[in-house]
Amino acid sequence: MSSGAMDAYQGLKGCGIGLVASVPCINMRELIDLVRADPQIEHLAVTREEEGVGICAGYHLGGRRAAILMQNSGLGNSINALASLDMLYGIPLLMIISHRGVEGEQVSAQVPMGQLTVPLLEAMGLPCIVPEAGGVEQSIAQAWEEAERRGCPSTVLVRPEVWR
């Protein structure tokens, strides 16, 4: 078990997250396994990121806290749902995003979105924290506080080496 996965799991627990929607990601597989095994967290494996954004919004409207786990490639898929649902209606959402397409990436198709992720988050005005190894749990707590304070999605962008 990587310390990054355990730190992220502890961060989710510390924020009182009751639902986690996830899209498969090799870097977050251990975190997804931890969430799936936790009887206090509902886990939904979704087929697309925007589906998860919608489900998490509904969960929030029911008075509970939700998070989504995705790769940064999924950010591109979910921009419309984030803008026209969460940002428009002031819905907080914790987004833990695995940052593919950075140094050492073996899949060339990941590189363009890897380069565009931070500029896209900045253009959308979404808070983004990039934690160092050992700082994931605290970063998740800060991101959740920011999401609630601003009433919008807030992101923790986790580089590959932090998951190892």
Side-chain angles (χ1 to χ4, degrees):
M1 176 70 52
S2 76
S3 62
M6 185 54 75
D7 286 351
Y9 173 71
Q10 292 299 330
L12 291 168
K13 297 287 286 181
C15 294
I17 298 296
L19 171 77
V20 173
S22 72
V23 180
C25 171
I26 190 74
N27 291 331
M28 292 195 282
R29 67 188 180 281
E30 292 176 333
L31 174 58
I32 292 170
D33 287 344
L34 287 168
V35 167
R36 192 177 306 151
D38 188 325
Q40 296 177 334
I41 298 176
E42 293 181 54
H43 174 254
L44 283 175
V46 294
T47 57
R48 291 190 52 96
E49 293 79 4
E50 61 268 39
E51 175 187 13
V53 169
I55 290 169
C56 289
Y59 202 76
H60 166 76
L61 294 175
R64 310 263 324 261
R65 296 176 173 185
I68 187 164
L69 312 177
M70 67 169 75
Q71 284 187 5
N72 55 317
S73 58
L75 176 64
N77 296 338
S78 61
I79 285 176
N80 184 52
L82 291 167
S84 64
L85 181 60
D86 291 348
M87 295 170 69
L88 180 63
Y89 295 105
I91 298 172
L93 174 63
L94 176 62
M95 300 173 64
I96 301 176
I97 301 175
S98 175
H99 197 178
R100 300 283 309 267
V102 293
E103 301 85 30
E105 177 63 55
Q106 301 295 311
V107 180
S108 62
Q110 295 283 354
V111 174
M113 196 60 192
Q115 295 169 339
L116 290 170
T117 298
V118 172
L120 282 172
L121 292 169
E122 290 173 351
M124 295 176 73
L126 297 182
C128 176
I129 300 172
V130 181
E132 298 293 328
V136 175
E137 183 177 354
Q138 181 180 2
S139 296
I140 288 172
Q142 291 171 337
W144 179 250
E145 288 175 18
E146 191 70 7
E148 284 197 312
R149 186 181 69 75
R150 292 180 51 181
C152 70
S154 184
T155 62
V156 179
L157 185 60
V158 184
R159 297 179 57 84
E161 65 270 15
V162 175
W163 293 115
R164 296 182 189 119

